[in-house]
Amino acid sequence: EVQLVESGGDLVQPGESLRLSCVVSGFTFSDFWMDWVRQAPGEGLEWVANINQDGSKKYYVDSVKGRFTVSRDNAKNSVYLQINSLRAEDTAVYYCSRQLEVWGQGTRVTVSS
Amino acid sequence: DIQLTQSPSSLSASVGDRVTITCRASQDIRNDLAWYQQKPGKAPERLIYAASTLLSGVPSRFSGSGYGTEFTLTISSLQPEDFATYSCLQWNSYPRTFGQGTKVEV
């Protein structure tokens, strides 16, 4: 069974950093691109970033460039999202996804003072 | 960036109704479009990819059509478990973009 499990979400203050993790099982992780998508409370889905199979290609939505970094560790079947300089508008549930086909359950990030 | 505009933003329907949701792209995306269903507090689930290909296990009352800039998701006979929010996604170019969602409610 394909599973994606996110973790690392928290309540943080503006300007702080977080590292979100997503560990997967049930498929050959190194064969797939991985995506991060977020959803602010009561809002629609927003694609954030993705990374290719070996980590050599990464793409980001403009609103997070320079603050977010996606990475992966194929030996650990894990993908990560490093989020720096957090802002109130980053408050959302963050989902990891295998190529936007299969999704995890999400991890909640709340940015508030 | 490619913008996806869904209409309507919400609709009221009854069990057994035929429901059609439209997704318009701001430029030609060929058939690089998927549809998702999302229920409150849950992750999205992909229903359709490549505009019209139904995923395995998705009921046949769901169908998708379109190419280029105009796409539709149709539910032929709405069932109680279909009340949810539906979103389109384009993967033709970066950044990937979603439509704003269509909430189907009673």
Side-chain angles (χ1 to χ4, degrees):
Chain A
E1 180 189 4
V2 173
Q3 285 194 321
L4 298 85
V5 180
E6 302 94 334
S7 61
D10 204 353
L11 169 61
V12 296
Q13 295 194 348
E16 293 186 338
S17 298
L18 271 180
R19 189 196 198 203
L20 307 183
S21 301
C22 173
V23 61
V24 312
S25 59
F27 63 96
T28 304
F29 179 65
S30 58
D31 284 351
F32 292 89
W33 286 72
M34 295 296 295
D35 293 78
W36 286 96
V37 176
R38 67 183 178 181
Q39 187 168 36
E43 301 294 325
L45 299 162
E46 180 184 33
W47 178 84
V48 172
N50 70 0
I51 185 168
N52 74 337
Q53 290 88 339
D54 64 5
S56 61
K57 296 181 181 178
K58 304 174 185 181
Y59 296 91
Y60 300 91
V61 68
D62 281 352
S63 59
V64 307
K65 283 180 182 176
R67 295 192 302 123
F68 288 24
T69 302
V70 60
S71 62
R72 66 191 294 160
D73 184 336
N74 286 344
K76 295 183 178 180
N77 282 357
S78 294
V79 61
Y80 308 99
L81 187 67
Q82 176 70 38
I83 308 176
N84 297 328
S85 304
L86 276 154
R87 306 167 179 169
E89 54 266 35
D90 296 321
T91 293
V93 174
Y94 285 74
Y95 296 99
C96 74
S97 171
R98 189 189 78 180
Q99 295 183 174
L100 300 173
E101 303 164 342
V102 185
W103 299 54
Q105 85 290 347
T107 188
R108 185 175 301 275
V109 173
T110 303
V111 184
S112 175
S113 54
Chain B
D1 298 3
I2 295 174
Q3 294 185 9
L4 297 181
T5 303
Q6 283 183 238
S7 58
S9 296
S10 64
L11 66 90
S12 295
S14 300
V15 172
D17 284 354
R18 181 182 182 88
V19 169
T20 299
I21 299 168
T22 297
C23 178
R24 288 189 175 88
S26 59
Q27 61 190 75
D28 187 346
I29 58 170
R30 302 183 303 181
N31 67 338
D32 298 333
L33 187 106
W35 288 98
Y36 295 84
Q37 178 192 69
Q38 188 177 24
K39 297 181 179 178
K42 301 294 187 181
E45 293 187 3
R46 195 171 66 161
L47 303 175
I48 288 169
Y49 70 97
S52 61
T53 302
L54 207 64
L55 264 73
S56 174
V58 175
S60 59
R61 62 182 179 272
F62 290 92
S63 64
S65 65
Y67 190 92
T69 61
E70 187 141 344
F71 303 86
T72 59
L73 171 69
T74 300
I75 310 172
S76 60
S77 178
L78 200 65
Q79 297 302 301
E81 60 269 30
D82 301 337
F83 290 96
T85 297
Y86 295 85
S87 300
C88 54
L89 161 83
Q90 68 80 22
W91 73 83
N92 180 266
S93 65
Y94 285 104
R96 310 315 195 198
T97 48
F98 288 89
Q100 81 277 15
T102 297
K103 186 174 183 179
V104 177
E105 49 195 352
V106 178

